[in-house]
Amino acid sequence: MRRKAQAFGILAVFAAVMTLTGCADKKSDNVKRIGILQLVEHDALNDARKGFVDGLKEDGYVDGKNIEIQYKNAQNDQSNCQTIASQFVGNRSDLVLAIATPAAQAMATETKDIPILATAVTDHQAAKLVKYNKKPGTNVSGTSDMAPVKEQIGLIKKLVPEAKKAAFLYCSAEANSVLQVKQARLAAEAQGFETMDATVSESSEIRQVVESLKGRADVIYVPTDNIISASMNTVSMVANEAKIPVIVGEEALCTGGGLATYGINYYRLGKQTAKQAEEILEGRKKISELPVGYQDQYDLIINEDQVKKLGIRVPDELKKTAKFVKTQNKSK
């Protein structure tokens, strides 16, 4: 009898646990699980993430209430991206926001079912995340941070009119950077510049590569490159010593020490991506049919600290529309 009673007690406890577990699962099923995989911490990507979370909140999706957001930073390590992507699949995420191309590519290799919104990606199709940007045909869509590269190169003539040699500083392993530099080279050569590449494969090479441009380049162009972005203060410090102005691909690079840019707003980009998430979560759109989104307005950003340090004369036509910023000193 004692054995039977013990067995009955064990079964009762097991049944109770299963009931509670079932209730927990049922409750959690009403809460959408959203994973955020970010390649690396820097201002532009952080702004995209903040805009996404704020945009969701404005649309009624609040973390800890009807959604559960799990944020993971890969520390600019591709193996970390794969590990985190695998975790999100194992956690049965309902949707994943992948911030930056390597993060999106890692996520896309792990699942063909979970909807993935990739932001801070220049060209989803070129990155092989979608079949077509207008109609993805995969479980990936999102928003592009394609910058007005031609207009950015045009700033060189307006702010550094004496410049003849332009160097492109970027990480050769970043597909988005390679794409932007290709466009920048065409624009620069069309405007009569002599061009040269200044490539790095990791952040430890940046100082030496920028120092090598002294006496060889009159201006440096930096696209929206994650390796360079995370070390922009170093770029600025070395370039300032050599009196070389740096035209950049977005605002965070400007506050990091770049001279000027025509750039997109990454916070707005994140909010734009949140609107896409809402359509998917509410079942109004299938991600395979959701076109990649683009921004249609750009901000002219000029760093007034750099203007003073380099003795740059800003034309009146630019002063009228520019947003002037100061350098935010952050050691990377």
Side-chain angles (χ1 to χ4, degrees):
M1 284 294 290
R2 182 178 294 178
R3 287 184 179 178
K4 285 184 179 179
Q6 288 176 336
F8 179 78
I10 292 170
L11 286 171
V13 171
F14 179 73
V17 171
M18 290 302 291
T19 300
L20 289 171
T21 304
C23 288
D25 283 346
K26 186 175 181 181
K27 184 178 180 182
S28 65
D29 283 345
N30 295 324
V31 176
K32 299 294 184 183
R33 300 178 181 91
I34 298 178
I36 299 180
L37 169 52
Q38 183 169 319
L39 175 65
V40 66
E41 289 271 353
H42 64 67
D43 288 348
L45 302 191
N46 294 345
D47 285 348
R49 183 182 78 244
K50 187 175 188 303
F52 179 76
V53 174
D54 288 352
L56 286 176
K57 188 174 182 180
E58 288 175 7
D59 290 334
Y61 288 95
V62 182
D63 186 23
K65 189 175 180 181
N66 55 355
I67 59 172
E68 178 185 301
I69 295 176
Q70 186 176 22
Y71 165 66
K72 298 281 188 179
N73 171 24
Q75 304 292 340
N76 208 22
D77 186 303
Q78 192 61 38
S79 63
N80 286 346
C81 282
Q82 292 296 157
T83 300
I84 296 166
S86 179
Q87 290 173 354
F88 284 160
V89 173
N91 291 344
R92 295 180 299 162
S93 297
D94 295 292
L95 181 144
V96 173
L97 173 71
I99 307 178
T101 302
Q105 290 171 329
M107 198 66 230
T109 62
E110 288 294 326
T111 178
K112 303 301 178 188
D113 301 315
I114 297 173
I116 302 165
L117 288 174
T119 192
V121 173
T122 303
D123 189 327
H124 292 60
Q125 186 174 328
K128 302 188 186 313
L129 295 167
V130 301
K131 293 179 181 177
Y132 305 101
N133 288 326
K134 289 185 177 180
K135 191 171 183 179
T138 67
N139 63 319
V140 183
S141 186
T143 52
S144 167
D145 64 353
M146 177 66 78
V149 175
K150 184 177 178 182
E151 287 78 3
Q152 291 170 352
I153 295 299
L155 283 173
I156 298 175
K157 287 284 189 185
K158 295 176 181 179
L159 292 172
V160 198
E162 70 282 4
K164 292 180 173 58
K165 299 177 181 179
F168 304 127
L169 177 64
Y170 65 104
C171 174
S172 55
E174 289 197 27
N176 286 345
S177 300
V178 173
L179 177 66
Q180 291 173 79
V181 167
K182 183 178 179 181
Q183 296 178 356
R185 185 178 292 106
L186 289 172
E189 290 176 352
Q191 294 182 40
F193 289 104
E194 180 183 332
T195 64
M196 66 190 81
D197 282 354
T199 61
V200 301
S201 57
E202 55 186 37
S203 58
S204 62
E205 300 171 352
I206 291 175
R207 177 186 290 271
Q208 183 179 354
V209 169
V210 178
E211 285 176 345
S212 74
L213 296 174
K214 186 175 182 179
R216 297 173 54 228
D218 302 316
V219 65
I220 295 171
Y221 174 74
V222 175
T224 53
D225 182 290
N226 292 298
I227 287 281
I228 306 300
S229 293
S231 300
M232 188 58 202
N233 284 124
T234 298
V235 175
S236 173
M237 180 181 67
V238 179
N240 283 346
E241 290 171 359
K243 299 295 181 184
I244 305 175
V246 185
I247 300 296
V248 294
E250 50 91 15
E251 182 172 354
L253 286 166
C254 222
T255 55
L259 172 61
T261 187
Y262 275 112
I264 69 167
N265 183 298
Y266 278 82
Y267 181 77
R268 286 200 302 260
L269 194 70
K271 279 196 162 187
Q272 186 178 352
T273 317
K275 290 292 183 186
Q276 294 176 319
E278 182 188 4
E279 290 185 308
I280 294 166
L281 292 172
E282 295 184 359
R284 297 202 306 268
K285 285 279 181 71
K286 292 181 179 179
I287 194 160
S288 61
E289 299 172 353
L290 184 67
V292 171
Y294 296 84
Q295 286 203 350
D296 55 8
Q297 63 182 104
Y298 304 100
D299 300 327
L300 171 59
I301 312 294
I302 297 176
N303 185 320
E304 59 183 302
D305 290 333
Q306 290 301 106
V307 167
K308 292 173 184 175
K309 284 180 182 177
L310 298 169
I312 302 293
R313 191 189 73 81
V314 180
D316 290 339
E317 62 177 288
L318 297 185
K319 287 181 182 178
K320 292 176 183 176
T321 58
K323 171 185 172 183
F324 285 88
V325 298
K326 291 181 177 292
T327 301
Q328 297 175 6
N329 293 312
K330 299 175 184 176
S331 24
K332 293 285 183 181

